[in-house]
Amino acid sequence: MAGTNYKQFQRKTISKTAYAANIIYLIVHIFYLILFIVAKLNIMIYITLGVIAIYLLFFLVIKKKKFYLYALLCGNEFFAFIIASTLLVGFGSGFHFYLIGLCVVSFFTSYFSKHRSTRNSLIWVGLSLAIYLTLYFVSRNNPPYYQIEPWLEMTLFTTHAIGVFAFIASYLVVILKYAVTLEQQIMSESRTDELTQVNNRYGLYDYYDQLEVTDSHVIALFDIDDFKGINDTHGHVAGDFILKRVAEITSSVLKDQKDHFFCRYGGEEFVFVLNEGDNNKVLELLEKVRKSIETELFAFEYFNIHITITIGAYRHEDGLTLEKWLELADQRMYRGKNNGKNQVVFQS
């Protein structure tokens, strides 16, 4: 993936995740506020109101794209809220479950950070474990500040158990979707020629592996006549310009073919595959490609130039591998080179 596209994709994923997470965290704390008001737990009401105000301010942090700062502030807010809530309403309320979820978020944050170091994530995991065990042992030896009613304890415990599983699953889904999309984009770009933005030879191999090839398929191989002389005379920048224009012209000619494949095979060589059983139509299309390039005036900076191509083509036969099929087309292309260039040689 090109660096710019990758960064844009990464920022978009982080931004969407941060906004969604902050909205969910806000809704959860509003839910807590309602429960605490009903149960008349005044201290928890004040704490929750403060947390809600903090999450409203976090939207400004996200808007300014301070994602690492947002993750850091969220983590510390979670630690403080979990500790206070567990000490006030008891270990049985299940607030400590969020410490497990924080471990997942720490690795998520690390994955999307600049350095992708596991060191900070392991520190958060260690800190979460230490707080978890401390809360457990403190709660065993000290009653909570509030003796909450069974319905509230059950509601909080169930909510936290379900919430943390959903919390972990949602972050893992984001990572999985991101990884799959990234893999697909990398695969696509690895099959794309960087200069011409058409397929490359690896794209051809993939295409052939998936193709149910029959005798209606024709492979055509062409290269630019005397291309080395163009590079030597006008420079490689001019040569690159011509390669890109040749790719654009050929793509334009082939675009109306319902079932075709086109790629830059390497250097000044290009390959396309057609699904056409009529030899006359194949020859007509090959000539159209050749003439479209022959009649094009390639205007680049200080010079104008006409170029030509020589095309060799071969219809598929039973038992041919891709390599042998290409070789047969290549032989016909060089037959055309030896006979004066700027021509099409099709299977004869």
Side-chain angles (χ1 to χ4, degrees):
M1 178 184 295
T4 301
N5 291 338
Y6 168 75
K7 290 179 180 178
Q8 290 175 346
F9 177 55
Q10 185 185 55
R11 282 196 295 267
K12 184 178 179 181
T13 300
I14 297 171
S15 180
K16 288 174 65 177
T17 303
Y19 270 112
N22 204 62
I23 291 171
I24 292 170
Y25 299 158
L26 191 58
I27 292 171
V28 168
H29 283 87
I30 291 173
F31 173 71
Y32 288 151
L33 179 62
I34 294 170
L35 286 180
F36 297 147
I37 290 173
V38 172
K40 298 179 180 179
L41 306 181
N42 292 334
I43 297 176
M44 291 303 300
I45 292 172
Y46 298 140
I47 291 174
T48 308
L49 283 171
V51 171
I52 290 172
I54 290 172
Y55 277 108
L56 290 173
L57 289 174
F58 281 172
F59 282 113
L60 295 177
V61 178
I62 297 172
K63 186 176 181 180
K64 292 183 177 180
K65 302 188 184 302
K66 303 292 184 180
F67 300 119
Y68 186 80
L69 176 62
Y70 169 70
L72 188 64
L73 292 173
C74 271
N76 283 292
E77 184 281 323
F78 263 99
F79 280 147
F81 188 73
I82 290 166
I83 293 169
S85 300
T86 302
L87 294 176
L88 288 169
V89 298
F91 198 78
S93 62
F95 280 99
H96 57 281
F97 288 154
Y98 282 122
L99 293 168
I100 301 172
L102 280 176
C103 295
V104 175
V105 177
S106 68
F107 283 99
F108 177 90
T109 304
S110 177
Y111 181 77
F112 284 100
S113 68
K114 292 181 179 180
H115 304 294
R116 292 192 176 181
S117 171
T118 59
R119 179 175 175 271
N120 289 339
S121 298
L122 293 174
I123 291 173
W124 279 89
V125 170
L127 187 58
S128 298
L129 177 60
I131 293 174
Y132 188 102
L133 292 175
T134 300
L135 289 174
Y136 173 75
F137 288 115
V138 169
S139 298
R140 280 179 63 89
N141 298 306
N142 298 278
Y145 183 83
Y146 290 111
Q147 294 296 325
I148 61 175
E149 297 181 27
W151 71 266
L152 180 57
E153 183 176 74
M154 180 60 69
T155 300
L156 289 172
F157 183 90
T158 304
T159 300
H160 293 142
I162 295 172
V164 169
F165 274 99
F167 184 80
I168 293 172
S170 62
Y171 274 92
L172 293 178
V173 165
V174 171
I175 292 175
L176 179 60
K177 286 186 175 181
Y178 178 83
V180 169
T181 304
L182 189 61
E183 181 181 335
Q184 291 172 343
Q185 291 183 337
I186 290 172
M187 182 63 72
S188 174
E189 293 193 359
S190 71
R191 287 350 185 216
T192 302
D193 178 61
E194 186 175 0
L195 175 65
T196 61
Q197 292 300 298
V198 298
N199 290 286
N200 59 22
R201 65 168 62 199
Y202 302 108
L204 174 62
Y205 300 153
D206 286 348
Y207 170 79
Y208 184 79
D209 287 341
Q210 299 171 22
L211 180 66
E212 294 183 9
V213 64
T214 67
D215 59 7
S216 69
H217 287 93
V218 174
I219 197 165
L221 174 70
F222 73 84
D223 76 1
I224 301 169
D225 297 328
D226 304 313
F227 185 71
K228 184 177 183 301
I230 296 172
N231 276 334
D232 292 344
T233 303
H234 301 290
H236 288 278
V237 175
D240 288 348
F241 166 77
I242 288 174
L243 288 170
K244 287 190 284 187
R245 284 295 296 134
V246 166
E248 290 169 359
I249 294 166
T250 307
S251 295
S252 178
V253 174
L254 296 176
K255 68 180 180 180
D256 294 330
Q257 295 297 305
K258 62 179 180 180
D259 184 12
H260 77 279
F261 177 87
F262 175 54
C263 76
R264 180 187 178 195
Y265 194 69
E268 69 270 26
E269 288 187 329
F270 294 85
V271 171
F272 55 91
V273 179
L274 306 172
N275 185 7
E276 176 56 68
D278 187 328
N279 283 348
N280 290 329
K281 289 184 178 179
V282 171
L283 190 58
E284 180 182 342
L285 183 62
L286 297 177
E287 282 290 350
K288 186 176 180 181
V289 172
R290 184 190 65 79
K291 290 177 181 177
S292 295
I293 292 172
E294 180 187 25
T295 56
E296 175 77 8
L297 179 62
F298 291 81
F300 179 75
E301 293 183 353
Y302 56 88
F303 75 93
N304 297 324
I305 187 173
H306 287 281
I307 66 168
T308 60
I309 62 171
T310 301
I311 305 176
Y314 197 86
R315 184 173 295 283
H316 193 271
E317 298 172 347
D318 289 342
L320 286 184
T321 63
L322 176 59
E323 289 74 18
K324 184 62 178 178
W325 197 18
L326 280 166
E327 180 184 337
L328 291 168
D330 189 57
Q331 290 173 1
R332 278 140 188 84
M333 183 186 72
Y334 275 97
R335 186 182 301 169
K337 294 278 191 183
N338 293 331
N339 290 335
K341 305 176 184 175
N342 189 25
Q343 58 189 268
V344 173
V345 180
F346 178 33
Q347 195 154 358
S348 59

